[in-house]
Amino acid sequence: MNATPYRPAQAEREETARLLPVPAERDLPPGRHLHHKELLMRQIDQDTTHTSHQPGGLRRRLADAAAPGRPRRRLVLGASLAAGAMAAVIAVTAVGSHAPTTVPQAGGPGGSVSERGPGGASPRAVQLLTRIAAVSASTSAPQVRDDQYIYIASQVYGASKKIGADGDGAKAQYNDDGTGTTHPRQAWFSVNGSRDGLLHSDLGAGEGDISLGKNTKPSLQLPTYTYLASLPTDPDALLTAVYAQNTGVDKNLNPDQEAFQTIGDALRESLMPPQIGAALYKAAAKIPGVNVVDDAVDASGRHGVAVSQDHGNQRTEWIFDKDKLTYLGERTVLINDDSAGGKAGRILVSTAVTERAVVDKAGQKPSPGTAT
């Protein structure tokens, strides 16, 4: 194993960015802007009485914070506190249940975390991701047509923050007491992005269907099945593409952290060709700072082993079944206490993928026994 982590040279990134199918502009499709705005508006409707005497003004600030320019399908919807907005976080989990909001402290937040290898992913992370990649490569490829949809059923939990009654400049505090309710989420994504996607979600403020629009400029952050199938299966070439798409996307993260987040974006709500999944896991094994968490719990309460990376005071964890090594979900936890009153180990975002399938139209559920 090489001790030097893989980091593509700038010229290599630029050449790969030119050759691979990369979106013409880094932006969310209009339908997903609407989706993000709707989620934020629903959340603020529940928080208005606690946050401001001028809810209209706060709603406008939230809408501004969710404006175009955020190219991810991340469940952490970046409403900026610096802009005076509530930080809203959305995620995937079980109906009417309460998501765990604190992780075990033994061995640090999130359980025992493996030590880093010299300059890169820990040896245990490399070993685990190699095994996960082998499992992915051994699965059967789905039969998919361009006119079909990828169906993803999930469970989500997300913490939210509120600002003081005087609005801008007030200290942010968590908006719940750590016993937040989890919510179901069902999404339908066009196989090639040419048809409108659909989201059905219950955030506790009433259920509803939201059009996600078309995805005519897919990326690793907002993939379609067709886009994923077009990517290289060589891990080095694929990781070069990951780094190439990261340039300037999130200035709060370094390139290695962005690479980890980008692969997580691709994994979270997608069904992908087995060889592409295997290549993504092998690529993740080459990213510096990637570790293993021995015990992590997804939003539906399933325990698993996690591949993790720290960024600032947060740790993002991809959770896998300990025996089957199949993807369960993702969570983000606090590493240390924060200024908003969160204690080390508090869960900020928790997701659990419960079904993946190919269906013929948006809104259609898979037949019994056909989902994975």
Side-chain angles (χ1 to χ4, degrees):
M1 184 189 309
N2 293 330
T4 303
Y6 176 83
R7 286 190 179 90
Q10 182 64 27
E12 186 180 0
R13 295 184 197 176
E14 292 174 355
E15 178 65 13
T16 301
R18 184 181 68 82
L19 295 174
L20 289 173
V22 178
E25 56 187 78
R26 297 179 180 275
D27 200 1
L28 282 170
R32 285 190 174 82
H33 286 307
L34 175 63
H35 159 52
H36 289 182
K37 179 179 177 181
E38 177 63 22
L39 294 180
L40 286 169
M41 293 307 103
R42 288 189 188 185
Q43 182 67 50
I44 193 57
D45 281 340
Q46 300 175 63
D47 299 329
T48 296
T49 57
H50 302 288
T51 56
S52 176
H53 298 299
Q54 297 179 339
L58 184 53
R59 287 172 66 94
R60 284 192 296 273
R61 289 197 296 274
L62 275 173
D64 291 342
R70 303 188 185 278
R72 300 200 179 283
R73 188 188 288 159
R74 287 184 188 169
L75 295 170
V76 180
L77 305 180
S80 173
L81 288 173
M86 177 192 73
V89 181
I90 317 296
V92 222
T93 160
V95 183
S97 64
H98 292 288
T101 54
T102 305
V103 296
Q105 293 301 303
S112 176
V113 180
S114 60
E115 295 182 0
R116 290 182 177 84
S122 71
R124 286 188 63 210
V126 173
Q127 182 183 50
L128 176 60
L129 283 163
T130 301
R131 293 172 58 208
I132 292 170
V135 169
S136 176
S138 68
T139 60
S140 299
Q143 299 298 312
V144 178
R145 301 191 313 266
D146 283 347
D147 62 343
Q148 291 181 305
Y149 285 81
I150 303 302
Y151 167 78
I152 308 292
S154 311
Q155 304 285 342
V156 307
Y157 164 79
S160 65
K161 292 179 182 177
K162 62 181 179 180
I163 58 176
D166 59 343
D168 295 342
K171 183 180 179 181
Q173 292 291 319
Y174 287 99
N175 198 39
D176 59 46
D177 61 1
T179 58
T181 301
T182 62
H183 302 281
R185 173 184 169 100
Q186 296 172 311
W188 291 262
F189 302 106
S190 171
V191 165
N192 65 4
S194 65
R195 293 168 173 79
D196 289 346
L198 179 68
L199 171 71
H200 183 84
S201 180
D202 174 14
L203 294 179
E207 296 186 4
D209 290 338
I210 302 170
S211 174
L212 298 179
K214 298 176 176 59
N215 188 2
T216 58
K217 297 175 181 177
S219 67
L220 283 161
Q221 292 92 354
L222 288 166
T224 64
Y225 184 91
T226 301
Y227 176 84
L228 290 169
S230 72
L231 295 173
T233 57
D234 176 74
D236 286 340
L238 186 53
L239 189 58
T240 298
V242 169
Y243 276 90
Q245 287 196 21
N246 282 338
T247 306
V249 172
D250 191 335
K251 299 186 185 302
N252 294 318
L253 303 178
N254 66 39
D256 299 326
Q257 293 165 341
E258 268 289 86
F260 187 82
Q261 295 292 336
T262 293
I263 294 176
D265 292 341
L267 297 173
R268 184 182 305 109
E269 275 191 322
S270 66
L271 181 66
M272 61 182 65
Q275 295 302 323
I276 297 299
L280 282 171
Y281 292 127
K282 290 179 181 178
K286 298 172 180 289
I287 299 174
V290 175
N291 297 288
V292 173
V293 176
D294 292 320
D295 185 56
V297 184
D298 72 7
S300 62
R302 297 175 298 189
H303 286 256
V305 61
V307 176
S308 71
Q309 191 191 63
D310 296 353
H311 48 97
N313 190 33
Q314 299 178 10
R315 174 175 301 133
T316 296
E317 302 170 355
W318 308 337
I319 306 172
F320 300 86
D321 184 277
K322 290 183 179 180
D323 298 319
K324 299 178 181 178
L325 296 181
T326 51
Y327 181 92
L328 298 179
E330 179 183 315
R331 72 178 183 180
T332 299
V333 303
L334 285 178
I335 299 172
N336 301 299
D337 295 356
D338 71 2
S339 61
K343 299 299 183 181
R346 177 177 178 132
I347 296 175
L348 302 178
V349 176
S350 182
T351 78
V353 176
T354 56
E355 284 186 298
R356 302 177 194 260
V358 180
V359 297
D360 290 332
K361 60 183 180 179
Q364 179 183 1
K365 303 281 186 67
S367 301
T370 60
T372 59

